[in-house]
Amino acid sequence: MFEDSNLKWNATYDVIVLGFGGAGATAARFAADNGAKVLITDSAPEGHEGGNTRYAGQVISTGSNLDDLRKYYQDLAFPLSYDKDLMETYVQGLYNIPNYLEKYLGVKPFIMAQHPDSPVSKALHFMAHEYPEFRGQATHDLVAMHEGVADSALWKNLRQQVLKRADKIDVLYQTPAEHLIQNPATGAVVGVQIKRNDKFLNVYDNNGVVMATGGFENNSKMVENYLGETSLNPIGSLYNKGIGIKMASEVGAQLYNMNNYEAYGIFHGLTPKPAKDQRSQFLPFDWPAFHQGSLIVVGDDGTRYFDENEMHRHGHTQDHGNWRILQAQRHPYVVFDQKKYDELANDKNAPYPEFLDSVVKADNLDSLAQVMNVNVDKLRNTIKDFNHFADIKRDYAFNRDADTLTAFDDGPYYALAMVQGLLNTQGGPVHNSKAEVVDNDNNVIPHLYAAGELGSLMGRQYNGGSNLAENLIFGKIAGENAASAKPEIKTSTTVDTQTSASVHEEGLGSDVGEEHFETKANQYIVKSTSGMGNEIVVRVTAPEKDDIQNIEILKQSESDDYGLKAVKKLPKEIVAKNSVDVDTVSGASASSKAIKEAVANALKQVK
C-alpha cells in the first residue's frame, strides 16, 4: 500500500512492532531500551496474546561448543541452501543463550546438561539431541527459565519486560495489522495500517516496522497452498493467520521456507482430535504404554503407516535416509484391544486420563471399520499381519522394536480419533543477519524488519527449542536496528513534493494499565502469574484464616479446555474443604497451582 496525497496519519511512533509474541515482545523491549517510543499491535484479545511462545515447551536451544553448534545446525539445514552470515549470527546467539537469559531476563538459567539427574533433563534428553546421527549433536543442549517446562515461564518473563516499559511501549490488543505503507520514491516502509474497533488507522513510523506476526497455521487456504495439506490442526496460537506473509508480499519481499512446518504430539505429531476450531491437546511422547503392546496407528485406508514406537522428531520420520514430515492422513486412528484399554485406564502415568472418554468401542472389526470409515478387509488384514509380526517377533512392515509387539485379542476393539497437529509454520519473508527484510533481488526494503517464525531460518530438520532461541536472538537484533535513527529516509518522506500527508505526532494510548478491584470487609485481592494465561486475579472473603467463605475469580485468561475446568471447579472445592489442600485438576496443573497460590497468599493477609 503506497502513500498518496489523501493519506492521513492517526499517530506516530519511532518503531511499530506487529505481533505480541516472543519475537515481538523482545523486539519492542530492545527498541525501547534504545530510546524508541514503540507501538505493539496484536490481533488476539488480552490474555491470548503471546503467539506460539505462550504454548511452547519453554525450552530454548543452546550448546557448550561453538564449533559443534555450527556443524549441528549446518546438518539440520542440509540439503537446503541458507544465508551463511545469517546462520553464523544465529549460531553465535545460540552459544550465548544462557548469558542472554541471565543478563536480559534476570534469571539463573536451568541448563539441562548441568543437571543430568533432573526428571526434566531425563524426560527431554531426546530433544536435546533430536538428531543424534548429526555432527556436533553431543554438546547441543536445552536451557529453561527454571526446572520446569510447558508452563509459559519464558513468555511471562518476556511479557513482563514489556509491561515494565509501559512508559515507552503502547500495547493494543484485538488490533490486527492490515497493510504496510510504503513510500513510492524511496521504497521505505513508513507506516502501517491497523484495524481498531472496526476503524482503519494509519500509524507512521519514524525508524522502523518489525513484523513478528508468526506463521499461517490458522489460515486453511495458505496451509493448503503452501503445505499441500487439508487436515492439520493447530497446537499453538489460534491467531496466527498469515497476515505477515500477505503484507510482506504487498511490498515485494522475497519469501522462503514456505513448505516447512513442524508437528508435535504423541507418535509423529498426532494429537487426539479436538472439537472444531479448538487447539489440539497433545499427549506427550514419554508415555510408554501408548507406544507398545497391542496398539497400532492406521491411516485413511485402515493400514499402518509408520513405526508407532519410533522416537518423536517434531513430526519427521525416516524416509529412505531423509527426515521428512509425514503426509497427513485425513482421519487417522489409534486402534487397540481390551487388554490395552484396561492397561491405559489403570495407568497412573497417564497424562490426561479423561482422553479415554473419546475412545469408541466396537465388538468386532466390521463395526470398528464402519466407525472409522475404513475398508474392513484392509483393517482385518492389518491386524492379521500385525499379530503375525508379534508372533515371530519381527515387524516386516516398519521394523518396530520386537519387544513392543503384542498380538491383538479377538475383541472387543477400541479406536481413538486423531489428527496431525500443526505446531508452527516456518515460512515468510527473507531477512538478513540484521533482521532486515529483502526483496526478490536481495535488496533491503528500508525500515522493514522481521523476526520469529515469520521467515524462520529453520529448514528441512528441526531441533526442539530452536524457534524460541530465534525469537530471542533476532527479536533483539530487529528491535535494536529498527530503533536506530534513519534521517535520510525520514527526510525523503516529509518533503512536500513527495507527500502532503499530515503526521499526527501523538500515540494511540495503550490497553495496558493499572487495574482496580473493589473490596469490602474481610475481602482480599491477590494476583498469581503461575497459570498458563496472564494474571489470575482472585478475591477471597475470609473473616478468619480457617473460615474461607467465598472465592471469586475476577480476571483470568486460562485455556478454554482444562484451564477453564480448574477456574470453575477449584474455588468451590477450596471453600467446601476450607483449605487450599485440594486435588489439582487433571491436565490443568499450572492453572490449579495459580488459583491455590493466590488463595494461599490472600489468607496470609488475614489478621
Side-chain angles (χ1 to χ4, degrees), residues 356-402:
L356 286 175
D357 295 342
S358 301
V359 169
V360 176
K361 180 181 180 180
D363 291 331
N364 53 59
L365 290 179
D366 290 63
S367 299
L368 190 68
Q370 188 173 6
V371 168
M372 296 165 55
N373 190 28
V374 301
N375 183 285
V376 65
D377 291 330
K378 287 191 175 182
L379 180 62
R380 184 178 290 110
N381 286 334
T382 297
I383 298 290
K384 179 181 177 181
D385 288 347
F386 182 83
N387 286 349
H388 175 63
F389 298 155
D391 290 341
I392 65 174
K393 293 300 178 184
R394 175 67 190 275
D395 178 7
Y396 279 102
F398 296 101
N399 204 31
R400 183 167 132 186
D401 185 346

Side-chain angles (χ1 to χ4, degrees), residues 175-467:
T175 306
E178 297 286 333
H179 300 281
L180 297 174
I181 303 173
Q182 196 172 28
N183 184 290
T186 65
V189 173
V190 295
V192 182
Q193 185 177 82
I194 61 176
K195 191 175 183 180
R196 175 80 167 171
N197 298 324
D198 293 325
K199 293 182 179 180
F200 292 100
L201 304 175
N202 299 318
V203 187
Y204 188 85
D205 74 271
N206 284 323
N207 298 324
V209 173
V210 179
M211 293 196 299
T213 54
F216 54 90
E217 302 90 86
N218 298 277
N219 185 320
S220 59
K221 184 176 180 180
M222 283 188 177
V223 168
E224 186 171 342
N225 286 344
Y226 292 122
L227 304 181
E229 297 288 8
T230 59
S231 56
L232 303 178
N233 202 77
I235 295 174
S237 171
L238 294 176
Y239 296 91
N240 289 355
K241 298 185 178 182
I243 186 61
I245 293 165
K246 173 182 176 291
M247 291 190 298
S249 298
E250 289 176 346
V251 297
Q254 184 180 158
L255 302 180
Y256 76 143
N257 266 353
M258 297 304 297
N259 69 337
N260 282 321
Y261 80 94
E262 312 307 332
Y264 200 83
I266 203 159
F267 306 115
H268 299 293
L270 293 181
T271 74
K273 188 175 182 178
K276 183 177 174 56
D277 298 325
Q278 294 294 312
R279 291 176 51 243
S280 284
Q281 183 74 41
F282 62 81
L283 294 168
F285 184 85
D286 55 340
W287 187 18
F290 214 62
H291 292 274
Q292 53 191 271
S294 48
L295 178 149
I296 59 173
V297 176
V298 300
D300 297 339
D301 64 350
T303 66
R304 294 170 67 208
Y305 62 108
F306 57 70
D307 171 3
E308 296 87 353
N309 192 57
E310 187 177 41
M311 181 55 71
H312 182 308
R313 296 195 186 192
H314 282 84
H316 295 73
T317 59
Q318 183 75 259
D319 180 13
H320 298 281
N322 298 295
W323 289 93
R324 299 180 183 275
I325 291 281
L326 280 166
Q327 186 169 357
Q329 301 293 303
R330 294 188 302 277
H331 50 88
Y333 278 87
V334 180
V335 177
F336 44 97
D337 64 4
Q338 184 66 52
K339 63 178 177 292
K340 173 56 69 171
Y341 178 92
D342 293 340
E343 178 188 353
L344 296 173
N346 294 298
D347 188 350
K348 295 181 179 179
N349 295 317
Y352 307 111
E354 59 270 33
F355 93 92
L356 286 175
D357 295 342
S358 301
V359 169
V360 176
K361 180 181 180 180
D363 291 331
N364 53 59
L365 290 179
D366 290 63
S367 299
L368 190 68
Q370 188 173 6
V371 168
M372 296 165 55
N373 190 28
V374 301
N375 183 285
V376 65
D377 291 330
K378 287 191 175 182
L379 180 62
R380 184 178 290 110
N381 286 334
T382 297
I383 298 290
K384 179 181 177 181
D385 288 347
F386 182 83
N387 286 349
H388 175 63
F389 298 155
D391 290 341
I392 65 174
K393 293 300 178 184
R394 175 67 190 275
D395 178 7
Y396 279 102
F398 296 101
N399 204 31
R400 183 167 132 186
D401 185 346
D403 292 338
T404 71
L405 305 174
T406 303
F408 279 69
D409 294 332
D410 292 332
Y413 301 96
Y414 297 85
L416 175 64
M418 305 292 280
V419 67
Q420 186 76 12
L422 173 51
L423 183 63
N424 66 289
T425 59
Q426 304 285 12
V430 175
H431 66 77
N432 61 24
S433 61
K434 297 179 181 178
E436 298 168 316
V437 175
V438 302
D439 65 17
N440 286 310
D441 295 317
N442 291 319
N443 297 315
V444 169
I445 300 175
H447 272 216
L448 188 60
Y449 303 83
E453 291 171 1
L454 179 67
S456 165
L457 91 113
M458 293 301 104
R460 180 61 56 78
Q461 288 86 208
Y462 174 80
N463 198 102
S466 299
N467 279 134

Side-chain angles (χ1 to χ4, degrees), residues 20-219:
F20 192 13
T26 301
R29 173 260 176 94
F30 282 101
D33 287 353
N34 281 268
K37 177 64 177 177
V38 183
L39 171 67
I40 303 178
T41 72
D42 198 275
S43 59
E46 182 181 4
H48 296 273
E49 77 281 19
N52 286 340
T53 302
R54 177 190 288 275
Y55 300 103
Q58 311 302 297
V59 294
I60 309 159
S61 292
T62 188
S64 59
N65 183 290
L66 187 57
D67 192 50
D68 278 353
L69 278 171
R70 288 192 187 99
K71 294 174 182 176
Y72 189 54
Y73 278 84
Q74 287 169 2
D75 284 2
L76 285 170
F78 182 82
L80 301 180
S81 60
Y82 56 87
D83 180 332
K84 290 181 172 55
D85 187 38
L86 178 67
M87 178 66 81
E88 180 62 20
T89 301
Y90 177 58
V91 168
Q92 294 273 357
L94 288 172
Y95 183 68
N96 193 50
I97 282 293
N99 294 330
Y100 184 115
L101 298 186
E102 194 158 1
K103 181 177 181 180
Y104 298 120
L105 303 187
V107 299
K108 185 71 173 176
F110 180 78
I111 302 173
M112 296 193 183
Q114 297 178 1
H115 304 277
D117 295 328
S118 165
V120 172
S121 301
K122 289 180 178 179
L124 292 179
H125 179 75
F126 79 96
M127 192 181 293
H129 315 277
E130 203 153 340
Y131 287 84
E133 66 272 25
F134 287 178
R135 297 174 302 152
Q137 62 84 26
T139 59
H140 188 266
D141 201 3
L142 298 175
V143 61
M145 303 291 283
H146 64 112
E147 190 177 2
V149 296
D151 57 2
S152 297
L154 173 62
W155 162 245
K156 292 171 192 175
N157 188 298
L158 297 177
R159 176 175 174 268
Q160 284 302 314
Q161 299 299 331
V162 170
L163 300 188
K164 287 193 299 186
R165 295 162 174 81
D167 60 326
K168 298 288 290 182
I169 304 174
D170 288 345
V171 178
L172 298 181
Y173 299 113
Q174 293 181 283
T175 306
E178 297 286 333
H179 300 281
L180 297 174
I181 303 173
Q182 196 172 28
N183 184 290
T186 65
V189 173
V190 295
V192 182
Q193 185 177 82
I194 61 176
K195 191 175 183 180
R196 175 80 167 171
N197 298 324
D198 293 325
K199 293 182 179 180
F200 292 100
L201 304 175
N202 299 318
V203 187
Y204 188 85
D205 74 271
N206 284 323
N207 298 324
V209 173
V210 179
M211 293 196 299
T213 54
F216 54 90
E217 302 90 86
N218 298 277
N219 185 320

